[in-house]
Structures are given as C-alpha cells and as structure tokens.
Amino acid sequence: MKRIHEIFYSLQGEGKHTGRAAVFIRFSGCNLNCPFCDTDFISYREMTDEEIVREIDRYPSRFVVLTGGEPSLQVDHALVDLLHQQGYEVAMESNGTHLPPKGIDWLTISPKVTPVVKECQELKCIFDGHGDVCDYGIQADEYYLQPCDVGDVEKNKAIVSQCVEYIKQHPRWRLSLQTHKLVGFQ
C-alpha cells in the first residue's frame, strides 16, 4: 500500500518538461522539513499499485510524475514496472536522500541536504540569493536554478533578479520558474 496525498492531471510547471501534460501522483510523507514546502503530509489515502494505475488511466497523457513529499520513500520497482507495462513514461521528483528504484525514465533531483544520489537527468537547485549554488557534485544532463518563493513579492523580485545574474555568470545553469504558480494552475 502506498500513502497518496493526491492524484491530479495538469501541466508540468517546472524544469525541462515545463508545459507538458502530466498525471501527478503526490505521495504523502517526507524525511525533510523544508520551510518553503507546499505539500500537506497529514492527509492521505492508502492505495495499491493497481488502484493507482486505474485512477491515472482516466487521463489521456502517458507521462506520469511521481512527486511528494519524497516519493523515493514509497515508490518501488513493482510500481515502476506496472506503470511501464501500462505504457507510461515515468518521471520522479526527489530530494535525492534515498536511491530511487531502477527504471525511472526521468529523474529530477532537488537537493536540500547532502544527497546520496549522484547522477540524474535534471538537477534543480532552489536559489535563495545567499551565496553560491551547491550542486553537491551531482552529475546531470540538465541544470536548473529555481528562485525560492519566500511569500513576499518584493523579496521574490530581488531573488529572481539575483538568480538571473548568477546564471549569466554561470551559464551551465538555466532558469526554472514555477509557471503553475505564475499562471495559476495546480
């Protein structure tokens, strides 16, 4: 049984796949307690892998994003295999503190503490405007900086501006904005 906070259909709002239709499976629970986290971990329902697939089959996209919380605490090879058998491309968004199961098609690591994962397709670091970006030596195909949303319009503008300047000085990074928040969709 997996603890599922919610399953919903939307567009990917961040990183390489921004704008792509996706089914999101948001797992409940995390091993970290980040102050900027936007996920409620208290409410969830327990679902089997088969129940999860039945629910996501209602949507036309075959791109599924495993997110959280921290999905690597619950996602296993059996779920990934079942999703592949049903024709899904499987992406996972993780903090990198636990190794993901084999078979993930697109792994995004967004480290908040020293991760155990050292390779991924996409590294997304939260940029708060304080100092250098710590990539923890992670090797990635794509490198993104995402300005931290601190809930204050003026501070957010300053952080975005600093992030842009940082990227101009360190061009391997690209800007990732939370377009779902900017445009107003889930």
Side-chain angles (χ1 to χ4, degrees):
M1 297 293 271
K2 309 288 192 289
R3 293 182 316 277
I4 305 299
H5 174 69
E6 65 183 334
I7 294 175
F8 63 97
Y9 188 54
S10 190
L11 302 181
Q12 176 58 283
E14 307 170 355
K16 173 81 173 179
H17 295 285
T18 297
R20 186 174 180 188
V23 182
F24 292 84
I25 304 171
R26 186 180 302 278
F27 291 82
S28 183
C30 186
N31 57 321
L32 301 179
N33 187 19
C34 302
F36 50 81
C37 185
D38 58 3
T39 302
D40 163 26
F41 298 120
I42 297 169
S43 62
Y44 63 86
R45 58 188 163 144
E46 291 190 345
M47 298 177 74
T48 65
D49 294 352
E50 292 75 16
E51 289 170 331
I52 291 169
V53 169
R54 272 196 302 277
E55 185 159 337
I56 68 174
D57 272 343
R58 301 180 312 151
Y59 305 108
S61 177
R62 303 315 279 177
F63 182 57
V64 63
V65 178
L66 310 175
T67 188
E70 178 48 47
S72 68
L73 299 175
Q74 297 185 62
V75 174
D76 54 22
H77 187 69
L79 177 58
V80 175
D81 264 0
L82 183 59
L83 291 168
H84 283 147
Q85 289 168 12
Q86 298 301 313
Y88 286 96
E89 179 182 355
V90 181
M92 177 184 279
E93 298 175 348
S94 172
N95 62 30
T97 57
H98 287 83
L99 293 175
K102 300 264 188 249
I104 300 294
D105 300 304
W106 187 266
L107 179 61
T108 299
I109 298 296
S110 183
K112 282 57 171 199
V113 298
T114 303
V116 298
V117 175
K118 296 299 180 190
E119 293 183 12
C120 60
Q121 283 74 40
E122 180 177 342
L123 177 63
K124 181 181 68 180
C125 292
I126 305 301
F127 185 87
D128 64 5
H130 297 97
D132 252 353
V133 172
C134 186
D135 63 15
Y136 296 98
I138 296 173
Q139 296 299 308
D141 299 332
E142 307 277 345
Y143 293 84
Y144 287 91
L145 287 186
Q146 184 167 293
C148 185
D149 180 356
V150 297
D152 178 288
V153 174
E154 291 306 312
K155 286 182 183 176
N156 283 352
K157 282 182 184 179
I159 291 170
V160 169
S161 178
Q162 292 167 346
C163 187
V164 168
E165 289 305 312
Y166 187 93
I167 292 169
K168 287 165 62 178
Q169 295 300 315
H170 304 88
R172 88 167 174 171
W173 294 95
R174 293 182 186 181
L175 182 65
S176 175
L177 299 175
Q178 293 180 299
T179 58
H180 54 292
K181 289 183 179 180
L182 295 171
V183 176
F185 62 90
Q186 182 178 17

